[in-house]
Amino acid sequence: MDTFKDDVLQYQNRYRQRHNVPPLKLNTTLSEMAGNWVSQVAEKDDIKPSALSDSTDVAENFCMVCGFNFTAYNVTLEWYRQACSYNFKTYEKVSEHVATVENFERMVWKSAKEFGMGMKKSKHLPCTYIIGWYNPIKGTAEENVFQGGFRGQECLKVGKNPEKGKYLHDKSRGVFLCGGSAEVLRKKACEHFGCKNGMFVWQKNRKVQDKF
């Protein structure tokens, strides 16, 4: 897990450099707290925001990965690819059809100095929950999000590993859902799997392996 967190931090800082903001530093205390929280989520598959992200300057990125092996770069890419749907003049998503750009914003937010990460496999499902915490998130997007060296044409290759020149994963083998918050992630998961009374429908009515 430590190596995974270090790799995510390294990839994020490469992107932050592109957007002219200083690198993040890994905060072990923040990572421990993120780990404790994501363990609670994974125990009951109950996707909800943490009290910390609701009451402090900490902002969170959330992911749910089901059905395939993934790497640190997969996770970082899923957050960063939202740059392709970001309007750097209005500091908003380019279209109402875009679900969120908050993952990207948090990754490159200038005021953020520290990063903490937790990851835990679901107790019941073939899924892993991943949470990234950024501290502190202060100010406005205009003050903190810069286009830097990013150009739109890069979106044609943003899904490729810069070290190997290959696409990172085949989504047909599984599900990779990321939300700008726990609420967004839960909405995406419910849209994909179906929810009833706060639970995933397939969680109750189908063998988990039948979904993949």
Side-chain angles (χ1 to χ4, degrees):
M1 176 60 180
D2 287 342
T3 300
F4 191 93
K5 286 188 290 188
D6 289 340
D7 288 346
V8 170
L9 180 69
Q10 176 184 342
Y11 284 124
Q12 288 189 115
N13 282 336
R14 288 186 187 180
Y15 287 133
R16 285 177 67 86
Q17 183 179 25
R18 176 183 292 176
H19 292 270
N20 300 332
V21 295
L24 297 167
K25 292 183 178 180
L26 192 65
N27 184 303
T28 54
T29 300
L30 203 61
S31 288
E32 289 176 4
M33 295 171 68
N36 291 336
W37 177 250
V38 80
S39 293
Q40 295 179 46
V41 172
E43 178 72 21
K44 297 181 179 180
D45 296 300
D46 185 13
I47 306 170
K48 57 185 179 182
S50 66
L52 185 65
S53 65
D54 278 346
S55 61
T56 68
D57 292 326
V58 173
E60 65 186 13
N61 279 349
F62 229 137
C63 270
M64 179 183 185
V65 188
C66 307
F68 68 93
N69 295 326
F70 58 92
T71 68
Y73 190 72
N74 289 145
V75 175
T76 312
L77 175 67
E78 287 297 321
W79 291 337
Y80 184 74
R81 68 168 66 249
Q82 293 170 7
C84 297
S85 301
Y86 195 79
N87 187 323
F88 289 93
K89 294 181 179 179
T90 63
Y91 305 98
E92 298 175 343
K93 55 190 181 182
V94 296
S95 167
E96 62 181 15
H97 301 295
V98 176
T100 183
V101 291
E102 291 179 338
N103 299 121
F104 161 70
E105 280 190 326
R106 287 162 185 166
M107 182 189 296
V108 301
W109 200 269
K110 181 182 178 181
S111 74
K113 308 298 182 187
E114 301 173 329
F115 175 69
M117 185 174 184
M119 183 169 66
K120 186 71 174 180
K121 289 184 177 180
S122 167
K123 186 176 180 179
H124 310 286
L125 312 173
C127 301
T128 299
Y129 294 97
I130 305 163
I131 187 170
W133 280 351
Y134 302 83
N135 181 57
I137 299 295
K138 295 183 177 181
T140 65
E142 185 175 1
E143 297 168 333
N144 286 277
V145 181
F146 312 113
Q147 183 168 352
F150 178 82
R151 298 294 180 266
Q153 60 265 31
E154 296 180 25
C155 295
L156 298 174
K157 59 182 179 181
V158 75
K160 295 184 179 180
N161 188 323
E163 297 174 352
K164 297 182 179 179
K166 297 180 180 179
Y167 282 92
L168 295 164
H169 59 264
D170 177 5
K171 288 191 176 182
S172 65
R173 293 185 289 120
V175 179
F176 205 133
L177 300 173
C178 288
S181 65
E183 291 93 340
V184 174
L185 178 59
R186 169 168 282 280
K187 181 180 179 181
K188 284 187 174 183
C190 285
E191 288 175 350
H192 189 89
F193 298 117
C195 285
K196 184 177 182 180
N197 298 326
M199 293 182 67
F200 299 130
V201 173
W202 59 279
Q203 180 179 332
K204 296 171 58 179
N205 301 332
R206 302 185 63 173
K207 292 183 179 179
V208 169
Q209 59 267 27
D210 290 346
K211 194 65 185 179
F212 305 103

